[in-house]
């Protein structure tokens, strides 16, 4: 493979521990909880996790294709998830959302398939924030109690609970059966004669009825007859659609199953609420909470704050916020500070894709973690597809040195193409070096998506959902995961040997990361010096060092799936000096599979003889 010279030698990044100290010094009276170990989030699509049905008929009903339940998360299942190296479990799709199933005998209204995506429905079209999806309960009448039992069971097994809050939009037909005393539904008090009014929960299109979007290529339920499919949906006046469309008849590609929530942003984009004073990005959540006391804020702010506190009181340990950047960061300051006052250790992560806004949502919005998609995820995907060298990963890490601890790393989630799919890495094995880098590059949490650890490729066609992503809209089974589930034994009994080996790899890697001191410490790339000077250092190689006072690591990943690389890895003099190493030999041990090597230091420069196979990685500990 051709050799590339990286012209710029990149400097040392700020460590996560240095950032904690910096934030502590900048915030008076701020009680800082020092994060000593990495966190690992296991995202599980709750509806799919326990489904044992393997039919996978496109557009299949719940009776045909099956559905998982809260009760499928047994103590055995949760123990195995914990033992994988997981600290937090994100139960995706828990709040009651619109779906095509008849629960009228439980007092639940039917949803019009013309404003539901798929048959099982989108988890991001919530119709009752104070209750949970009836599909997930053995007894839908007791669905909330069954979820409360799952919270208790999860905690008993040493895991923290995260659920979704979808703040930007809700189902077109929002009807809560479970509002606490005094809580009014979204839109119940709106002045619908006005396009915008500060305390309206929605934006309106006065004088126009909502029109169902149409398409020659898409028919609700694939053309199946249903008494509610009649070309109309009763919404008058029409509301703005969830992605911001102001058309009474949104496009079929719009988020037409949802309506946009009004947070006091006028139609011209100006803000109709108090703004944070200058310098508040340096203030603690307690200062933010005090600022918002007795402030006059829009109705939607209060409603969503109360929803978050409702679930916090039930023992939920944190939230994942959908499309958080479509909601003003002042609101997040208001809500997140209120959550932290109830639970200072709450885990708050958000879907934000605009790098120019990262720091606003972290420092002003008081978010703990944001998706690191646009930078690290996208670059890793380019690398494994042969579109880019890995060298730029160092630039990314340096560019976000001040916030790297807040940038959650992932390779797989419900929105993205499966890591093992042909559209991404191509095979689970090719995904291994990406996973090593994703999990060890920074001090931020790592997230994996259920099935990723056994090579799930998302090959199924659920109906509304398409190939390469496990459908979130349909009743489907997840084949690789089902083989691990083994009929509810959760022992991997049906996995192939390669799938067992892959899960073992994830288990070794993740368990190391949650125990490592160095991964919460310093980062320095050694890529540039090796790219320039090291014979045999092929284009697919990426290397860096991580360290703390008690632990020193050398990480090497081979993104090539064709070439075994043999080379003498150089550890630059400044690293050797920082590590206070004298000339001599130092044994190294790989933390993944126990391979050994030797770091030889001569004249203040280190060398490690390396032979790294295609898709292989080493995490050498000195």
């Amino acid at each position: 493979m051709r050799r590339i010279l990286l012209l710029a030698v990149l400097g040392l990044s700020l460590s996560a521990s240095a950032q904690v100290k910096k934030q502590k010094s900048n915030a008076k009276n701020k009680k800082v909880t020092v994060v000593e170990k990495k966190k690992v989030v296991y995202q599980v699509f709750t509806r799919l996790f326990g489904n044992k049905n393997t039919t996978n008929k496109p557009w299949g009903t719940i009776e045909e294709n099956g559905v998982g339940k809260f009760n499928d998360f047994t103590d055995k299942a949760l123990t195995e998830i914990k033992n994988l190296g997981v600290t937090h479990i994100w139960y995706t799709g828990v709040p009651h959302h619109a779906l095509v199933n008849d629960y009228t005998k439980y007092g639940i209204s039917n949803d019009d398939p013309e404003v539901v995506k798929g048959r099982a429905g989108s988890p991001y079209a919530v119709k009752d924030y104070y209750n949970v999806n009836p599909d997930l309960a053995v007894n839908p009448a007791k669905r909330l109690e069954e979820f409360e039992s799952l919270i208790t069971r999860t905690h008993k097994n040493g895991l923290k609970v995260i659920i979704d809050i979808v703040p930007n939009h809700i189902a077109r037909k929002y009807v809560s059966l479970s509002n606490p005393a005094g809580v009014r539904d979204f839109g119940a008090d709106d002045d619908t004669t006005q396009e915008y009014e500060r305390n309206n929960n929605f934006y309106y299109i006065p004088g126009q009825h909502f029109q169902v979007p149409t398409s020659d290529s898409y028919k609700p339920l694939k053309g199946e007859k249903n008494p509610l499919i009649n070309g109309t949906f009763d919404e008058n006046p029409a509301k703005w659609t969830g992605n911001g469309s102001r058309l009474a008849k949104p496009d079929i590609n719009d988020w037409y199953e949802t309506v946009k929530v009004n947070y006091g942003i006028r139609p011209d984009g100006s803000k109709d609420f108090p703004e944070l004073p200058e310098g508040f990005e340096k203030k603690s959540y307690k200062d933010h909470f005090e600022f918002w006391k007795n402030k006059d804020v829009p109705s939607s702010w209060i409603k969503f704050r109360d929803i978050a506190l409702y679930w916090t009181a039930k023992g939920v340990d944190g939230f994942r916020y959908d499309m958080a950047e479509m909601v003003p960061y002042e609101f997040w300051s208001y809500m997140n500070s209120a959550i932290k006052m109830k639970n200072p250790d709450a885990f708050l992560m958000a879907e934000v894709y605009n790098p120019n806004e990262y720091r606003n949502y972290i420092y002003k919005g008081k978010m703990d973690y944001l998706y690191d998609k646009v930078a690290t995820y996208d670059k890793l995907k380019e690398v494994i597809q042969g579109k880019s060298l890995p060298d730029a990963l160092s630039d990314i890490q340096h560019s976000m040195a001040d916030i790297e601890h807040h940038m959650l790393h992932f390779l797989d989630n419900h929105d993205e193409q499966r890591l093992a799919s042909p559209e991404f890495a191509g095979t689970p094995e090719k995904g291994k070096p990406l996973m090593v880098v994703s999990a060890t590059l920074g001090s931020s949490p790592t997230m994996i998506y259920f099935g990723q650890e056994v090579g799930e490729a998302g090959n199924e066609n659920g109906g509304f959902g398409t190939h390469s992503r496990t459908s979130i809209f349909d009743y489907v089974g997840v084949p690789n995961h089902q083989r691990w589930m083994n009929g509810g034994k959760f022992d991997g009994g049906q996995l192939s040997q390669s799938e067992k080996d892959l899960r073992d790899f994830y288990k070794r890697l993740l368990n190391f990361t949650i125990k490592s001191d160095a991964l919460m410490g310093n980062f320095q790339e050694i890529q540039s010096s090796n790219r320039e000077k090291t014979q045999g250092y092929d284009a697919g190689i990426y290397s860096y060092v991580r360290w703390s006072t008690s632990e020193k690591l050398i990480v090497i990943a081979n993104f090539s799936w064709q070439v075994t690389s043999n080379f003498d890895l150089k550890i630059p003099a400044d690293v050797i000096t920082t590590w206070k190493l004298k000339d001599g030999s130092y044994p190294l041990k790989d933390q993944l599979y126990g391979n050994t090597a030797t770091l030889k230091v001569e004249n203040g420069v280190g060398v490690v003889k390396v032979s790294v196979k295609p898709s292989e990685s080493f995490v050498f500990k000195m």
Side-chain angles (χ1 to χ4, degrees):
M1 299 173 72
R2 66 188 182 92
R3 308 181 62 76
I4 304 295
L5 297 180
L6 186 65
L7 299 179
V9 178
L10 304 174
L12 179 66
S13 90
L14 277 172
S15 70
S17 58
Q19 283 304 304
V20 170
K21 291 177 182 177
K22 180 179 178 182
Q23 292 166 16
K24 185 174 182 179
S25 66
N26 285 343
K28 294 180 180 178
N29 303 319
K30 179 178 180 179
K31 184 180 178 181
V32 175
T33 301
V34 178
V35 180
E36 296 180 348
K37 297 291 189 295
K38 282 176 74 82
K39 298 180 177 72
V40 173
V41 178
Y42 189 79
Q43 183 195 1
V44 56
F45 204 84
T46 315
R47 182 204 306 147
L48 305 183
F49 179 85
N51 185 18
K52 303 176 184 69
N53 188 311
T54 59
T55 304
N56 278 344
K57 174 185 175 181
W59 288 99
T61 65
I62 193 171
E63 292 80 15
E64 292 170 323
N65 283 356
V67 71
K69 306 289 184 182
F70 292 131
N71 287 1
D72 292 319
F73 292 90
T74 62
D75 286 322
K76 170 64 172 173
L78 293 167
T79 296
E80 291 301 320
I81 293 170
K82 169 76 172 176
N83 290 344
L84 186 63
V86 172
T87 60
H88 294 66
I89 184 165
W90 166 20
Y91 291 111
T92 305
V94 165
H96 185 182
H97 60 79
L99 53 85
V100 183
N101 209 348
D102 190 344
Y103 289 108
T104 53
K105 69 179 180 180
Y106 302 102
I108 299 170
S109 60
N110 283 329
D111 294 300
D112 189 333
E114 292 164 299
V115 288
V116 175
K117 287 184 175 176
R119 190 185 293 276
S122 167
Y124 298 105
V126 176
K127 70 177 287 182
D128 185 352
Y129 266 111
Y130 287 100
N131 216 315
V132 298
N133 182 358
D135 276 352
L136 304 177
V138 174
N139 178 3
K142 300 288 186 182
R143 59 194 182 279
L144 187 56
E145 290 92 331
E146 289 188 29
F147 180 60
E148 290 169 337
S149 295
L150 177 56
I151 295 173
T152 301
R153 200 159 58 249
T154 305
H155 288 160
K156 184 183 76 171
N157 284 282
L159 293 161
K160 302 282 191 176
V161 174
I162 299 169
I163 66 170
D164 297 276
I165 286 184
V166 188
N168 176 62
H169 48 271
I170 62 176
R172 293 212 93 96
K173 185 179 180 181
Y174 184 93
V175 182
S176 177
L177 302 178
S178 315
N179 283 342
V183 173
R184 301 273 288 166
D185 271 358
F186 284 91
D189 303 310
D190 283 6
D191 178 359
T192 62
T193 67
Q194 303 295 317
E195 178 185 31
Y196 168 84
E197 201 282 324
R198 183 175 182 267
N199 283 311
N200 278 356
N201 296 137
F202 306 124
Y203 299 90
Y204 294 90
I205 309 171
Q208 296 190 54
H209 291 257
F210 173 77
Q211 299 176 57
V212 174
T214 54
S215 168
D216 292 336
S217 60
Y218 173 72
K219 303 295 180 188
L221 303 185
K222 203 180 179 182
E224 175 185 310
K225 288 186 177 181
N226 183 289
L228 293 176
I229 300 178
N230 58 9
T232 65
F233 177 77
D234 185 18
E235 182 180 294
N236 183 29
K239 304 179 181 77
W240 288 16
T241 292
N243 61 328
S245 171
R246 306 183 188 189
L247 300 174
K249 182 177 181 178
D251 185 81
I252 196 67
N253 295 309
D254 286 326
W255 303 348
Y256 61 83
E257 79 280 21
T258 66
V259 292
K260 186 169 179 61
V261 176
N262 167 24
Y263 282 87
I265 299 290
R266 301 182 185 94
D268 66 4
S270 60
K271 296 177 178 180
D272 195 3
F273 48 75
E275 297 190 48
L276 292 168
E278 187 74 24
F280 249 66
E281 68 276 7
K282 299 177 182 178
K283 299 285 188 179
S284 72
Y285 71 81
K286 292 182 179 179
D287 294 319
H288 282 243
F289 180 77
E290 288 298 322
F291 172 79
W292 292 111
K293 270 187 177 179
N294 304 316
K295 290 288 193 302
D296 179 23
V297 297
S299 166
S300 297
W301 290 34
I302 299 168
K303 280 184 162 63
F304 270 101
R305 179 204 62 188
D306 291 349
I307 288 164
L309 295 181
Y310 168 84
W311 290 109
T312 299
K314 288 190 177 295
V316 170
D317 302 291
F319 302 102
R320 181 267 189 186
Y321 299 131
D322 183 76
M323 293 307 294
E325 69 189 273
M326 298 182 79
V327 177
Y329 58 77
E330 291 89 349
F331 162 74
W332 294 116
S333 163
Y334 170 82
M335 186 163 89
N336 288 341
S337 63
I339 295 169
K340 291 285 189 179
M341 291 298 291
K342 295 293 184 181
N343 178 11
D345 296 322
F347 187 104
L348 307 177
M349 65 172 173
E351 183 184 24
V352 174
Y353 298 126
N354 182 356
N356 294 326
E357 293 293 331
Y358 286 168
R359 288 162 181 82
N360 281 336
Y361 282 87
I362 293 167
Y363 296 130
K364 295 181 181 179
K366 311 315 290 179
M367 293 294 186
D368 292 323
Y369 309 108
L370 309 181
Y371 278 20
D372 190 358
K373 180 198 180 293
V374 174
T376 303
Y377 169 92
D378 283 349
K379 180 53 63 176
L380 285 168
K381 192 171 187 178
E382 288 178 4
V383 170
I384 205 62
Q385 293 177 346
K387 299 174 182 177
S388 175
L389 291 176
D391 304 57
L393 290 164
S394 300
D395 299 299
I396 292 168
Q397 194 70 358
H398 288 298
S399 71
M400 295 194 294
D402 60 318
I403 59 171
E404 68 84 19
H405 178 64
H406 301 279
M407 301 306 297
L408 179 138
H409 288 178
F410 65 90
L411 293 169
D412 213 336
N413 68 38
H414 69 280
D415 283 321
E416 306 299 341
Q417 293 171 324
R418 283 286 195 173
L419 174 61
S421 70
E423 292 81 0
F424 192 165
T427 70
E429 288 70 28
K430 291 178 187 177
K432 283 183 176 181
L434 281 71
M435 191 62 214
V436 169
V437 172
S438 184
T440 65
L441 188 65
S443 65
S444 59
T446 306
M447 183 170 75
I448 68 167
Y449 190 32
F450 86 114
Q452 178 184 344
E453 72 275 23
V454 288
E456 177 57 41
N459 289 324
E460 290 65 48
N461 174 16
F464 190 93
T466 56
H467 178 83
S468 83
R469 292 173 175 85
T470 297
S471 176
I472 66 171
F473 307 106
D474 305 292
Y475 297 111
V476 294
V478 183
N480 293 41
H481 169 74
Q482 288 174 323
R483 290 195 287 276
W484 171 75
M485 187 168 57
N486 192 22
K489 295 179 182 178
F490 300 101
D491 61 2
Q494 297 179 34
L495 293 176
S496 67
Q497 189 58 51
S498 64
E499 290 165 346
K500 289 178 181 178
D501 291 344
L502 182 69
R503 194 173 192 278
D504 178 67
F505 160 80
Y506 273 85
K507 188 173 183 177
R508 290 169 182 267
L509 174 62
L510 296 176
N511 274 285
F512 169 70
T513 66
I514 63 175
K515 297 171 185 174
S516 171
D517 291 327
L519 295 183
M520 297 306 295
N522 301 276
F523 163 87
Q524 182 169 338
E525 62 92 19
I526 56 175
Q527 183 75 357
S528 53
S529 57
N530 279 283
R531 182 71 79 210
E532 290 176 347
K533 302 174 183 177
T534 301
Q535 190 72 25
Y537 194 85
D538 292 306
I541 303 297
Y542 184 62
S543 62
Y544 49 94
V545 293
R546 302 294 313 274
W547 74 94
S548 65
T549 55
S550 61
E551 187 177 53
K552 298 172 178 62
L553 303 176
I554 301 169
V555 183
I556 306 158
N558 186 3
F559 291 108
S560 169
W561 55 89
Q562 298 174 325
V563 177
T564 294
S565 293
N566 299 284
F567 54 89
D568 291 341
L569 182 74
K570 306 295 190 303
I571 310 299
D574 58 341
V575 174
I576 298 300
T577 299
T578 300
W579 286 5
K580 299 179 181 178
L581 301 182
K582 297 179 180 179
D583 284 5
S585 296
Y586 300 87
L588 303 174
K589 186 173 183 179
D590 173 43
Q591 299 304 292
L592 297 178
Y593 291 105
N595 296 294
T596 58
T598 302
L599 168 62
K600 291 186 177 181
V601 180
E602 263 184 44
N603 299 319
V605 176
V607 174
V608 181
K609 286 192 175 296
V610 174
S611 178
V612 57
K613 299 174 184 175
S615 299
E616 187 175 35
S617 302
F618 298 122
V619 181
F620 284 124
K621 179 177 176 179
M622 194 178 78

